[in-house]
Amino acid sequence: MRASSSGYKPPRSLVTSDSPVRRNEMKRAQTRMGWLFSAAAIVIIGAFVFYPAFYALWMSFTNATGFNKPQFIGVKNYTDLFSNQDAVHALLNTLIYTVIYMPLLIIVALAVAMLLNRDDLPLRGFFRSAIFLPFVISMAVAAMAWQFILDPNLGFLPYWLSKIGIHMGDVLGSATWALPTVTVVGVWKNFGYFMVIFLAGLQGVSHELYEAAELDGCGAWRKFTSVTLPGLRSTMTYVVIMALIQSFQAFDQIYVMTSGGPDHMTETVVYRIYTEGFRNFHLGAASALSYVLLVFTFIVGVIQLVLNNRYEKESM
């Protein structure tokens, strides 16, 4: 009698390490082990990332205040955002912050990276570490330090500038200069990180291309536009996306240095979320504003990636 093929198990003596049965068993064992090692991370991410995210999404459709039983009100929180002057003003401030922050951050980080990438520069390691150091410091601590530095009565920067005839005044209390000032503090805090990213990208650009450009009689600016920038294309995409996310999340230095003032002139979207949620106790409105910011950031990031992929396909 011939054994049925279904459910047939070969004798152990025939199951070798190279047999399909043995390989399948090893794959299943590796899969189980992988899930076992990942279980702790999955539980933590699920409890502290995905659950709060989905709960905030649900709250954005309710009238939650933190003290009541939330009731479903549909998209009212989202429609009210566009009629709320404070929310609209916070969106505009965030866009202004981004317009100042991104170009300034990229220009400074790339310029310093190119300087520190020179082989003839002494103490390169020291300067790289010193410039990267502010990124390690907490933004709140850095903001407190800059608040003291810029103080019109006690700060040494206004004092030194006054000695050469430049009177700064209270820049943090000025409706014109408060937002640019907190933006510059953000650039000072973060450009060291992007400098390191640009340094890694610059070291990946072939020196042969620079030598060929010199043989063609290209000057410094032509080599920068024709060799350096194309070689940093993928690095620039990462820097732009990360800088964009950082600019949309500006909060710490604003909370410490200006508290959104003067007259809401430095109030960004994230600061408005904090105000709505933890001062006005409008958790539903704060959650809705959070998801508007999330969608806007996602759209801008996707546009940047699409444009970069299109450029790479055209250049192939």
Side-chain angles (χ1 to χ4, degrees):
M1 180 181 296
R2 210 181 327 179
S4 174
S5 59
S6 61
Y8 170 73
K9 295 183 178 180
R12 288 184 176 273
S13 60
L14 299 179
V15 179
T16 63
S17 59
D18 296 331
S19 67
V21 176
R22 182 58 177 168
R23 287 198 297 268
N24 290 335
E25 289 181 356
M26 293 177 63
K27 288 181 180 179
R28 286 194 293 269
Q30 290 174 353
T31 302
R32 288 194 297 268
M33 188 62 66
W35 280 108
L36 180 63
F37 281 114
S38 304
I42 292 173
V43 170
I44 293 174
I45 293 174
F48 295 100
V49 177
F50 290 108
Y51 174 74
F54 285 113
Y55 188 74
L57 179 61
W58 173 78
M59 279 204 307
S60 68
F61 297 102
T62 68
N63 61 350
T65 64
F67 302 100
N68 66 336
K69 184 178 180 180
Q71 296 179 348
F72 183 79
I73 59 174
V75 296
K76 186 177 184 302
N77 287 325
Y78 290 93
T79 56
D80 288 348
L81 286 177
F82 299 98
S83 59
N84 187 330
Q85 294 298 322
D86 290 335
V88 173
H89 193 64
L91 285 170
L92 292 176
N93 285 340
T94 303
L95 291 177
I96 295 172
Y97 183 99
T98 303
V99 169
I100 300 173
Y101 179 84
M102 283 186 55
L104 187 60
L105 177 73
I106 292 172
I107 291 172
V108 173
L110 181 56
V112 175
M114 292 181 65
L115 177 63
L116 295 182
N117 194 47
R118 294 176 59 93
D119 295 330
D120 57 348
L121 182 70
L123 301 176
R124 285 192 305 168
F126 169 77
F127 287 119
R128 289 176 181 178
S129 301
I131 293 173
F132 181 78
L133 186 60
F135 179 75
V136 183
I137 303 172
S138 167
M139 176 61 87
V141 174
M144 292 176 64
W146 275 101
Q147 188 178 28
F148 176 77
I149 292 171
L150 297 172
D151 187 276
N153 298 317
L154 302 175
F156 60 82
L157 184 58
Y159 175 78
W160 287 346
L161 291 177
S162 66
K163 295 299 183 181
I164 58 175
I166 301 176
H167 300 281
M168 289 181 54
D170 187 8
V171 291
L172 295 178
S174 170
T176 303
W177 294 105
L179 186 58
T181 301
V182 296
T183 306
V184 169
V185 172
V187 172
W188 173 86
K189 167 70 170 60
N190 295 318
F191 88 91
Y193 167 76
F194 294 102
M195 175 207 67
V196 173
I197 302 299
F198 277 129
L199 271 174
L202 287 171
Q203 292 173 6
V205 180
S206 175
H207 288 281
E208 295 178 356
L209 296 176
Y210 289 107
E211 293 175 358
E214 289 182 1
L215 292 176
D216 290 338
C218 296
W221 176 252
R222 185 62 185 276
K223 287 190 290 186
F224 174 74
T225 57
S226 301
V227 179
T228 304
L229 286 182
L232 293 175
R233 183 73 186 187
S234 58
T235 304
M236 188 68 71
T237 300
Y238 172 82
V239 169
V240 168
I241 293 176
M242 294 304 297
L244 186 71
I245 294 173
Q246 284 186 351
S247 62
F248 286 166
Q249 294 178 342
F251 172 77
D252 298 40
Q253 74 269 37
I254 295 171
Y255 178 82
V256 173
M257 299 176 72
T258 63
S259 298
D263 194 24
H264 303 283
M265 293 304 296
T266 59
E267 191 174 83
T268 58
V269 171
V270 177
Y271 191 88
R272 189 65 202 170
I273 293 171
Y274 162 77
T275 302
E276 289 287 351
F278 298 100
R279 289 187 179 178
N280 300 335
F281 299 104
H282 297 160
L283 296 182
S287 299
L289 187 56
S290 299
Y291 269 89
V292 169
L293 178 63
L294 173 65
V295 171
F296 187 74
T297 306
F298 177 78
I299 291 173
V300 175
V302 168
I303 292 173
Q304 176 65 25
L305 288 175
V306 169
L307 293 176
N308 182 68
N309 290 335
R310 183 180 301 175
Y311 175 84
E312 289 182 351
K313 290 179 180 179
E314 293 176 352
S315 59
M316 289 180 63

